[in-house]
Amino acid sequence: MTPSDVKATLSFSDGSPSMDLPIFKGSVGPDVIDIRKLYGQTGKFTYDPGFLSTAACQSKITYIDGDKGELLYRGYPIEQLATKCDFMETCHLLLHGELPNATQKADFTKTVTYHTMVNEQMQFFLRGFRRDAHPMAIMTGLVGGLAAFYHDSTDITNPEHREISAVRLIAKMPTLVAMAYKYSIGQPYIYPKNDLSYAGNFMRMMFATPCEEYVPDDVLVRAMDRIFILHADHEQNASTSTVRLCGSSGTNPFAAIAAGVACLWGPAHGGANEAALNMLEDVNKMGGVEKIGEFIKQVKDKNSNVKLMGFGHRVYKNYDPRAKLMRETCHEVLTAMGKHNDPILKLAMALEKIALEDDYFVSRKLYPNVDFYSGIVQRAIGIPVSLFTAIFALARTVGWIAQLNEMIGDPEYKIGRPRQLFNGAVSRDVKPVGER
Ligand code: CMC
């Protein structure tokens, strides 16, 4: 961390001594005020629910400028990665800090490919779930369950264990998501095939059957690969912070990533793509484009609790750059499939247009986020709505594990332990039950 010449001074109106707080500069983005000695010197905590103003770590992985609508993985703009690289190169970049050269790419891809199969016992574990269980409930269990199958990579303090568990998680997530899907529709599992790309292999495991081979379509494979790239990391969001906090206790990487999967499930986070598509389908059933005005009225009504899902973001106060790329992919996929007149796409575009002009959204800087269009693409590919968040988890696994490994390797790393402002009952005595 680079110290700034500027210092902050915290003073108190009750005459308590003031305190100088060091300021550190990042390579880009807001400076941070170092409050680590605050409690020791003043006996006071800071209060920041939802971490609106708090940097919980230092990181070199992902940078977002929410006002500009900029997203960089290790310094590279997401637009360049999405158009010039594939997901395996992106994984290498996030994990190891640099884009691979041709030999490194081939080696990395081969290593990941050769870890895609899961222990055969996993399928018996999966069979314990109800067939109608939500895929994210299954994924939380399966990912946590990996720790029971891969004992030789659970020591987070061992760099070799960290490396191999990273590869295993990235490699096995598509297999697990596809197994969860096959289980839900009562079809046999399809084993991975090593001559296919990461995205192609996933789609084959999803859509082939033992009776009929599935030949992945290039446009759809590219779209799937782009979905993976766009969701691969997003700095310190809720699930990534969950992975860091969970992993900070020294628990194994599979347990930490399972915690991330559980957090991602929520509709304000990874569950938004499912919620956005359900919303579009509901408005379509209400009468489609004709009924947009009525729907927007509900969204703007504070008492209705209706939100425009796929809109708004804690960090982006401008168009989410991932949404632009997803919008492009959406048109490409629907055109390739001859579905460019899809009513849901038409509705999404009309809704977006109105929201971008309406003062409610403009004044709050609410723009479409990546989930607004990713659901339409996935639905066109044939992925059921309930599986959308599991696919987000698959893609985000590399980001989670890169962030987890970065934290463990950071000399300043400590177990995460937030403090609180306590305003409950002060010490009191327990009365016998008859006197309460
Ligand atoms: N529809 C209608 N109003 C909204 C929306 C929305 N989608 N999002 C925010 N607002 C309003 C909110 O009611 C508030 O209004 P007011 O100032 O009058 O009280 C104002 O905008 C600020 O919102 P906020 O809740 O303080 O913003 P936040 O930063 O806490 O929440 C968010 C961000 C993503 C949780 C929220 O925008 C949201 O719930 N969006 C819909 C869900 C969604 O699409 N989530 C996906 C995020 S991108 C994928 C990911 O990274 O996981």
Side-chain angles (χ1 to χ4, degrees):
M1 287 198 293
T2 316
S4 160
D5 298 336
V6 182
K7 294 240 174 321
T9 304
L10 184 66
S11 58
F12 301 92
S13 59
D14 65 356
S16 308
S18 62
M19 180 185 176
D20 279 344
L21 298 163
I23 296 184
F24 289 99
K25 296 178 100 49
S27 45
V28 61
D31 297 347
V32 297
I33 302 174
D34 179 358
I35 55 161
R36 281 176 291 181
K37 296 204 172 120
L38 182 71
Y39 177 61
Q41 290 190 15
T42 68
K44 291 178 172 51
F45 298 141
T46 55
Y47 180 62
D48 186 21
F51 300 104
L52 290 168
S53 299
T54 298
C57 63
Q58 44 176 322
S59 181
K60 292 183 174 15
I61 302 175
T62 293
Y63 176 73
I64 304 173
D65 184 327
D67 292 324
K68 274 206 247 163
E70 179 180 66
L71 168 61
L72 311 175
Y73 293 166
R74 304 272 190 192
Y76 294 109
I78 192 69
E79 293 81 0
Q80 292 185 30
L81 293 169
T83 49
K84 297 183 177 171
C85 299
D86 65 18
F87 184 61
M88 281 295 97
E89 291 170 274
T90 308
C91 287
H92 188 283
L93 174 70
L94 288 169
L95 277 181
H96 302 300
E98 293 299 338
L99 284 168
N101 61 28
T103 316
Q104 288 165 334
K105 180 179 173 181
D107 288 350
F108 181 76
T109 306
K110 185 166 179 221
T111 308
V112 170
T113 305
Y114 279 84
H115 279 92
T116 46
M117 214 159 66
V118 296
N119 187 301
E120 193 65 2
Q121 200 62 20
M122 285 296 287
Q123 62 163 294
F124 300 108
F125 178 32
L126 175 55
R127 280 179 208 282
F129 285 97
R130 283 171 56 136
R131 296 236 180 217
D132 61 354
H134 193 284
M136 285 300 277
I138 295 182
M139 287 308 293
T140 312
L142 290 185
V143 175
L146 286 172
F149 294 97
Y150 301 100
H151 291 148
D152 57 343
S153 56
T154 50
D155 178 6
I156 198 81
T157 60
N158 180 329
E160 280 169 25
H161 283 213
R162 294 207 289 271
E163 174 78 25
I164 183 70
S165 60
V167 168
R168 281 181 169 153
L169 277 156
I170 295 165
K172 294 181 198 309
M173 281 298 273
T175 315
L176 295 179
V177 173
M179 282 171 73
Y181 172 59
K182 288 297 195 190
Y183 182 68
S184 75
I185 54 169
Q187 285 188 4
Y189 308 124
I190 300 295
Y191 290 97
K193 201 159 180 271
N194 287 351
D195 58 356
L196 292 174
S197 69
Y198 187 87
N201 201 4
F202 171 62
M203 288 171 71
R204 182 179 167 275
M205 288 190 285
M206 287 281 297
F207 301 121
T209 70
C211 331
E212 206 165 311
E213 198 38 71
Y214 172 83
V215 183
D217 176 282
D218 283 348
V219 175
L220 304 193
V221 172
R222 235 189 359 260
M224 201 74 241
D225 196 73
R226 183 174 275 194
I227 289 175
F228 294 161
I229 294 174
L230 299 186
H231 288 86
D233 195 47
H234 216 223
E235 53 114 312
Q236 310 310 320
N237 55 82
S239 59
T240 302
S241 302
T242 300
V243 168
R244 280 186 177 256
L245 190 56
C246 181
S248 77
S249 71
T251 191
N252 69 77
F254 304 105
I257 302 302
V261 174
C263 176
L264 188 75
W265 191 359
H269 192 9
N273 50 17
E274 180 175 345
L277 196 80
N278 286 337
M279 172 194 81
L280 289 171
E281 285 185 339
D282 287 348
V283 179
N284 197 35
K285 276 186 217 133
M286 267 166 61
V289 178
E290 310 274 283
K291 294 285 175 182
I292 288 182
E294 205 176 295
F295 176 66
I296 293 276
K297 219 187 225 170
Q298 283 177 30
V299 170
K300 289 174 6 182
D301 176 1
K302 284 268 159 225
N303 301 318
S304 75
N305 261 337
V306 178
K307 274 196 168 176
L308 184 52
M309 299 311 284
F311 258 69
H313 200 274
R314 168 60 60 79
V315 182
Y316 292 118
K317 300 302 168 195
N318 200 328
Y319 211 103
D320 177 342
R322 303 168 302 169
K324 273 190 198 140
L325 292 155
M326 208 66 255
R327 189 180 202 267
E328 193 183 288
T329 299
C330 191
H331 284 284
E332 223 172 88
V333 165
L334 294 179
T335 306
M337 300 185 81
K339 291 185 181 172
H340 43 280
N341 282 324
D342 182 82
I344 297 289
L345 176 67
K346 283 200 164 151
L347 184 59
M349 280 168 34
L351 213 47
E352 179 188 316
K353 185 168 184 296
I354 291 173
L356 290 178
E357 287 163 1
D358 190 301
D359 186 56
Y360 175 93
F361 298 93
V362 175
S363 63
R364 288 171 179 76
K365 300 190 175 167
L366 299 171
Y367 292 88
N369 60 51
V370 66
D371 291 325
F372 195 63
Y373 284 105
S374 72
I376 305 176
V377 177
Q378 293 185 63
R379 174 173 158 275
I381 292 176
I383 292 166
V385 177
S386 64
L387 214 67
F388 290 179
T389 315
I391 287 172
F392 189 162
L394 179 176
R396 182 56 59 86
T397 295
V398 62
W400 287 331
I401 197 94
Q403 300 266 356
L404 177 64
N405 288 352
E406 178 179 66
M407 177 187 75
I408 303 293
D410 182 346
E412 301 210 334
Y413 136 70
K414 283 186 177 342
I415 183 169
R417 185 22 175 122
R419 307 304 292 252
Q420 63 174 6
L421 173 67
F422 182 73
N423 53 15
V426 294
S427 178
R428 50 186 173 158
D429 294 321
V430 174
K431 289 185 181 152
V433 68
E435 292 175 28
R436 287 176 217 159

